Amino acid sequence: MAIVSVEHPFIIKNIDKGIGTLGGNGSMSKLVRPDSKDGIIGLYIRPEDPMCKPVMSNNVTTRNVVLQITVPKRTGRRRKKGSAGPFMDYAETDRQVLTGITNGDNQTSARSTRHSNANYLLQGLRDNEGSYKIKPVGVIEQTHRFRSKSATDPSRAVDKARGRTILMMVGMSDFVYSTANSPFMKKIRENILPFQYNKLKQFSLDRSKGVKVNTDLIPPPTFSHISIPFNYSYRQNPAVKQTVDDSGRRVTINTQSAAKVLTHLVAYDVEIVPSKAPTDVASFDTLDSTLQRVITQLHGLLEERPIWTRRAMLNKMSNKEYIYTLKHAFQYVGYMFRSGPWRDAVVKFGVDPRTDPKYRVYQTMMFQIYTREPDAAGPKRWEDERTRYAKSMRGKEHNKHSHLFDGKRADLDGKVWQVCDITDPLLKSLLDTKFLREECDIRSDGWYHNGTWAKAKTIMKAKLTKILEGETPVDMDYAKLLQIPDIIDASTRKQAVLKGRGTPQEVQWASDIRTTASAPARRKPLGSDLAVGGRADLRRQEMEVVTGSARTDAQSAEVQSRVAEAMLEFGRNEHDLDQDGLNEDADLGTMEGIYADEDDEAKEDDDDLDE
């Protein structure tokens, strides 16, 4: 016979109430069904409260055997030692011991009764050694336990009074929010939970509007998702010490905290660039000699050229050990743009590259490098290309020219390159153009036109990918890309389409160029040139007209007319492109995962030196 065991964590005095904490006879009957071997049962700490969340059991497969032990009955008469009471048969004495009834107050404590029962039965086995009978009744194939740890690591408590170790329940029940005084939950209990149709019809919700006094808040179905008590072991961080500052105040400091790097970062549209180091940095005279030497060398480099990438500066350092000090020296010699055409480059204090086209050669390109990994059997840990490169270069000599890009080799100790550090003939001829903007695009393209900058970034990205995949880039593969206009807008966009005029790879590159060139225009604020803007700009202008913002009638009519003209122009261009088999929406989405750096420029800061 198969038997299911439930290890109830409570002391069961009333069998019916004990079954009630497990969901009643209905839940208990489900445990013995043949199809319930994987089932669990809930333990209700407060079975009278339907809002009480149960503690779920852990169904464990066991092979325990239930034994029936028969001990011979004792015969004769006895009475309590030292008493004058009547002699009683052993059968009557056994009944009193097992039920907890005595001749005194007719009851004993539950604990002493349990101990007496156990001791009495064990004594009976000892007295009848060789005379009792053992009969197997059944096998316990399932045991439901309300413990969260394995039996090999139980939580234990010590009963000091008796010097015994008691196994304690480890699992925790959830917090319970009392809904005894909740009007809404009272209606739920009275009308919904009985599952009677007549009472269900009486249930209704308060549909009145407005703020109400003492609004009834319904508790969530669960408060905690943790069922195992966790010992947080709160204690003071050993690295935190108390000291007295210069003013005599007692302060708490962390002796192991890293020194702050106060690099002066500014937005791409800052009106006035910094002209000197921040005032909260330590004085130059108080710095250690190594840091002073590094700052002196950086000043010399910034006299050679006013803008450098951090990687280029590191390669120019006379001592490679300066890498650990370099990041603390930048704050004394220059500032950095958080985003824009000169992002992540160290700019000499007082120099604003947005004011003169001569600073175009110091614009930066940032790439996120991903390559196709060969298929391998089994799971493998994902690593980006730079992490893999850093591991492969351990113990090897550092390349002092890693900041240069010649189209043949790619060093991934950084992901930022400057125009002046690109020596690849194809890219150099493209970026040495005299066809520049009259006004700097401070957000994305700098002094180059959007088509020129997009072509340079796309070609360099393609060459980097080929080099990292072990191939050699061929300049002829990018010849058709050079024919794309240097200015890409609604009037020239069709000329940037190579559908039907190039290979699938060339078509993809051309699509990348169009997307890169149009990305800044799609992010332009309201009032910008709609002819080169994206659909989102047109829709925002439409919504502004429809919703009737604070404009005069003449202004609204003018904006509505501009929107209509721009939408008409957009329709013509899309019709022309569709004739070539190109879908505009697909075109704008081809860059996802290829030029992630275009949209991430204002989100992440590269820290090459830390790596």
Side-chain angles (χ1 to χ4, degrees), residues 361-545:
V361 296
Y362 304 121
Q363 290 184 208
T364 60
M365 297 183 185
M366 178 177 291
F367 302 98
Q368 289 186 352
I369 308 299
Y370 300 101
T371 58
R372 295 189 299 268
E373 298 182 358
D375 297 334
K380 57 182 178 181
R381 182 179 179 181
W382 181 88
E383 289 181 343
D384 66 340
E385 197 64 34
R386 291 183 63 204
T387 302
R388 190 179 297 110
Y389 173 83
K391 290 183 178 180
S392 65
M393 292 299 294
R394 290 176 182 173
K396 298 181 180 180
E397 185 67 23
H398 176 69
N399 180 18
K400 286 290 187 178
H401 303 287
S402 62
H403 62 287
L404 303 177
F405 180 74
D406 58 1
K408 300 177 182 179
R409 174 173 175 171
D411 292 281
L412 298 183
D413 53 347
K415 60 179 181 180
V416 182
W417 283 266
Q418 285 183 282
V419 172
C420 60
D421 293 330
I422 298 176
T423 60
D424 177 73
L426 178 63
L427 292 173
K428 187 173 179 58
S429 63
L430 178 62
L431 294 171
D432 284 346
T433 179
K434 301 297 182 181
F435 184 50
L436 304 173
R437 291 176 180 265
E438 296 182 358
E439 182 179 353
C440 179
D441 177 16
I442 62 175
R443 188 167 190 175
S444 178
D445 302 328
W447 291 103
Y448 292 99
H449 289 289
N450 62 343
T452 306
W453 194 241
K455 287 187 292 184
K457 295 185 71 173
T458 301
I459 294 175
M460 185 169 176
K461 175 74 173 185
K463 287 195 171 188
L464 281 170
T465 303
K466 280 187 173 294
I467 293 172
L468 295 175
E469 291 179 350
E471 302 178 14
T472 302
V474 179
D475 290 348
M476 288 301 298
D477 294 341
Y478 315 102
K480 291 185 179 180
L481 302 182
L482 300 178
Q483 302 173 7
I484 294 177
D486 290 331
I487 300 178
I488 299 178
D489 55 17
S491 61
T492 62
R493 192 174 182 85
K494 184 179 179 181
Q495 303 175 33
V497 177
L498 298 183
K499 185 72 172 181
R501 298 187 290 117
T503 65
Q505 182 63 78
E506 292 173 334
V507 172
Q508 177 65 52
W509 286 334
S511 177
D512 296 345
I513 292 173
R514 293 193 302 273
T515 304
T516 304
S518 62
R522 293 200 305 271
R523 292 196 294 263
K524 283 187 178 180
L526 292 176
S528 60
D529 187 6
L530 294 176
V532 297
R535 284 192 179 88
D537 294 322
L538 301 179
R539 289 167 182 164
R540 282 196 293 268
Q541 293 283 10
E542 284 186 303
M543 290 300 298
E544 189 175 11
V545 174

